Amino acid sequence: MNTHLHITAWALAIILLLVVIVLQKTGKAKGAKITHMILRLDYLLILYSGGSLLTNYLNGGGPMMTEAIIKSVAGLWVIVAMEMIAVRTGKRKATKGAWIQLIIALIITIALGFGRLEGGLLP
Ligand code: HEM
């Protein structure tokens, strides 16, 4: 249940971030602002679902615990990079560094999330 919430929440975040950027680039400042607020609410869903998945690992204390912690830190980094991109695009500042961070952080999170950690989609 939390896994599905988690995946839905971060997939939605990627979509919302793209919508925010398109709205900002096409000068629709108000729409961008509203969408950005929704994106920020969605961060809470990511944090809640990810935090609850992490709790399972912390309580279980199994061999994957360290990886789950690293995965979670990388997940936080994804959120930070997304927020940097959204804010900096709105201010017409350079976003290349933030995009590079987002891509690196996303690769780490998705590789550890889908590739290594077991608690996920499989029944
Ligand atoms: C936008 C950022 C994030 C992305 C893209 C992401 C991605 C993923 C993916 C792909 C999985 C695997 C799901 C599965 O196995 O079915 C996962 C699971 C997980 N995530 Fe995240 N995540 C993000 C944020 C977070 C945050 C902020 C935390 C911690 C506070 C977190 C903690 C976890 C934990 C503990 C798991 C469980 C791994 C498992 O049992 O498979 N994630 N995440």
Side-chain angles (χ1 to χ4, degrees):
M1 150 72 194
N2 273 316
T3 308
H4 289 117
L5 181 61
H6 194 59
I7 294 175
T8 310
W10 62 254
L12 182 64
I14 293 172
I15 296 166
L16 286 172
L17 176 65
L18 296 177
V19 174
V20 171
I21 292 165
V22 170
L23 289 171
Q24 279 166 344
K25 296 248 181 211
T26 51
K28 303 200 172 62
K30 193 170 180 193
K33 203 169 199 168
I34 294 168
T35 315
H36 194 174
M37 293 312 295
I38 301 171
L39 175 62
R40 284 172 171 153
L41 291 177
D42 186 43
Y43 295 154
L44 297 180
L45 280 183
I46 299 173
L47 289 168
Y48 165 74
S49 57
S52 116
L53 288 167
L54 178 62
T55 313
N56 296 339
Y57 282 93
L58 295 179
N59 288 336
M64 303 298 259
M65 190 174 85
T66 312
E67 272 186 57
I69 294 171
I70 296 171
K71 152 76 187 63
S72 300
V73 173
L76 292 174
W77 187 19
V78 173
I79 295 178
V80 170
M82 284 182 155
E83 185 60 18
M84 275 175 63
I85 292 171
V87 169
R88 293 180 71 88
T89 309
K91 291 182 176 165
R92 303 280 181 270
K93 288 190 180 170
T95 53
K96 194 174 167 195
W99 277 108
I100 293 170
Q101 288 188 47
L102 177 65
I103 289 167
I104 295 172
L106 262 182
I107 290 172
I108 298 172
T109 18
I110 292 178
L112 283 175
F114 279 143
R116 296 275 309 155
L117 297 169
E118 296 286 302
L121 284 180
L122 300 173

